[in-house]
Amino acid sequence: MRKVYLDYAATTPTDPEVVKTMLPYFTDRFGNPSSIHSFGQEGKAAINEAREKIASFLGAMQEEIIFTSGGTESDNFAIKGVAYANQHKGNHIITSSIEHHAVIRSCKFLEKIGFKVTYLPVNEDGLLDPEAVKKAITDKTILISVMHASNEIGTIQPITEIGKIAREKEICFHSDAVQIFGHLPINVDELNVDLLSMSSHKLCGPKGIGALYIRKGTRMVSFMHGGEQERRRRASTENVPAIIGFGKAVEIAKNSMNEEAKKLTILRDKLIKGIFEKIEHVRLNGHSTKRLPNNVNISIESVEGESLLLNLDMEGIAAS
C-alpha cells in the first residue's frame, strides 16, 4: 500500500542535508561549548553561527535568540518569564481562546497563583479582532500573547496590528510563531513583537530544539537555573547537534521558502476544491485566504473526526 503523510503540522521529516550537517557534532566535534579548550570552542562557534542564521532570518540581533528544547518551552519561558518579572506592575494577561496548549496551560497555571487572564474569542474564520484586544487592556495588563498562525485551522492572525496596540500601551507582546516560522517571511520589527517562539521540527529540522526571540531590553525572569549558558537566560549544556541542525534547516527554508509557499498554496487550494466537489456537507475551518499555505482543515457533517482519521490511516493516509 502506498502511504501518504499529510500531518506536517505535527512534525516533518528531517532534511538529509540537515542530518549531514549534524553528524560531525555527535562524533568528532563533540566538545562542550562551555569548555575553554579547542573542542569546546569549536562547538561554541558552530552554535553562534546557527544563532546568526536564525537572527538574520527574523531581522533580529544574534544576542536576542535563546535556544530552548522546543516551542513548548519557548512559550512557557515567554509567558511565565514576563509574568514573574513584571508582577510589580500588574497581573493581567490577554490571549486568545484558540492558542496552543503550551500558551493556554501556562496561563491557566498563572491564574492559580493570582494572575488574571482574559481569553478573547475569535470570529467564525478564527480571526482575532485587534479592537477586542485594545478594549481588553487594563492598567494592570503586562502581557499580550497571540499566536501568529493557528496550528489547527491555519488562520493567520493580524499580528502587526495587535503589536502596534501593545507598543502604544507599552505592554509586552509575545507571539507563538511555531507553525509559520520557516514557511512565510517573518520580521520581528515589522510584527512589533517583543518575544517570538520557534521550533525546528516544523521545518524539516530535528526534534527537541527550538528558540525564543527576546527583544533587547525586555524584562524577563529565567526559570532554568544552573550554568551560564545562553547569556544566563537558559541554563543547561547546549544540544549542539540539534542547534546546528536547526540553523541548517532555517538556511534551507530561507532559500526555498517563497517558491515552496507558492507550490503549497496551489496544492492546498486544489485539495480544498476537490473535497468540496466530491463530498457533501463539508465546511472549511479557518479563513479561506488568510491561512497557512500548508493547511487544510475541514469538518464533515455527522462524521466523527477520530473515526475518519482511523479510516484514512487504514487507507494509508496519515492526517490529524
Side-chain angles (χ1 to χ4, degrees):
M1 180 193 294
R2 183 191 175 201
K3 289 195 172 185
V4 179
Y5 182 80
L6 295 179
D7 198 14
Y8 274 61
T11 197
T12 61
T14 306
D15 189 291
E17 281 298 309
V18 171
V19 175
K20 182 180 176 181
T21 304
M22 293 170 64
L23 286 176
Y25 295 91
F26 288 108
T27 53
D28 298 336
R29 303 174 188 174
F30 60 86
N32 186 324
S34 297
S35 300
I36 62 172
H37 49 62
S38 60
F39 286 88
Q41 292 308 296
E42 187 175 40
K44 185 175 182 180
I47 285 174
N48 286 334
E49 183 181 345
R51 199 189 308 274
E52 178 54 37
K53 288 177 182 177
I54 295 167
S56 175
F57 185 83
L58 293 170
M61 294 185 287
Q62 184 176 322
E63 59 267 29
E64 293 176 315
I65 305 300
I66 302 300
F67 289 113
T68 66
S69 64
T72 291
E73 184 187 329
S74 294
D75 286 343
N76 273 260
F77 186 5
I79 293 166
K80 295 171 185 174
V82 169
Y84 288 141
N86 294 278
Q87 55 188 326
H88 65 286
K89 295 168 59 178
N91 67 342
H92 182 231
I93 297 167
I94 298 171
T95 190
S96 83
S97 59
I98 62 166
E99 296 294 309
H100 188 275
H101 285 156
V103 170
I104 294 290
R105 289 175 180 171
S106 290
C107 289
K108 294 291 184 184
F109 166 79
L110 290 173
E111 283 184 294
K112 292 178 182 178
I113 57 174
F115 287 87
K116 309 294 182 184
V117 182
T118 298
Y119 301 93
L120 294 173
V122 295
N123 68 13
E124 62 181 9
D125 291 324
L127 280 171
L128 179 62
D129 184 359
E131 282 302 310
V133 176
K134 192 172 185 178
K135 290 177 182 177
I137 293 172
T138 73
D139 59 355
K140 298 291 185 182
T141 305
I142 54 173
L143 174 66
I144 298 170
S145 179
V146 177
M147 60 169 37
H148 197 338
S150 171
N151 57 301
E152 298 287 346
I153 59 174
T155 297
I156 298 173
Q157 299 293 348
I159 296 300
T160 299
E161 291 82 351
I162 296 170
K164 283 180 183 177
I165 293 168
R167 183 142 304 173
E168 288 168 2
K169 299 290 185 178
E170 298 184 347
I171 297 168
C172 193
F173 181 41
H174 164 252
S175 183
D176 177 341
V178 167
Q179 287 296 329
I180 202 168
F181 180 75
H183 297 288
L184 291 173
I186 294 177
N187 182 285
V188 290
D189 288 333
E190 291 176 4
L191 292 177
N192 300 303
V193 295
D194 299 298
L195 303 116
L196 187 125
S197 300
M198 301 154 268
S199 183
S200 163
H201 73 106
K202 307 293 186 179
L203 58 146
C204 298
K207 297 177 180 64
I209 188 70
L212 178 65
Y213 160 75
I214 306 175
R215 185 177 294 278
K216 188 176 181 181
T218 301
R219 185 186 288 271
M220 294 279 289
V221 169
S222 299
F223 66 94
M224 288 282 283
H225 302 106
E228 307 294 310
Q229 294 90 354
E230 296 301 293
R231 303 173 70 86
R232 293 189 179 182
R233 293 287 202 179
R234 201 263 187 187
S236 182
T237 300
E238 296 93 339
N239 185 350
V240 182
I243 290 172
I244 305 309
F246 190 10
K248 184 64 176 178
V250 170
E251 180 185 303
I252 293 170
K254 186 176 183 179
N255 293 330
S256 62
M257 181 174 58
N258 292 334
E259 183 181 336
E260 189 74 5
K262 290 177 184 177
K263 174 185 171 184
L264 287 172
T265 300
I266 292 170
L267 290 172
R268 178 198 73 189
D269 294 345
K270 181 180 179 181
L271 178 58
I272 293 170
K273 183 173 183 288
I275 289 171
F276 273 78
E277 286 177 350
K278 296 179 180 181
I279 303 173
E280 295 182 344
H281 310 298
V282 176
R283 172 195 168 105
L284 178 68
N285 301 313
H287 199 279
S288 59
T289 57
K290 295 176 183 176
R291 71 184 305 124
L292 292 168
N294 62 339
N295 178 283
V296 175
N297 186 300
I298 61 165
S299 296
I300 304 174
E301 187 179 329
S302 302
V303 176
E304 185 184 46
E306 191 170 302
S307 298
L308 179 60
L309 291 178
L310 289 171
N311 280 280
L312 283 171
D313 193 43
M314 291 172 66
E315 296 294 329
I317 299 171
S320 285

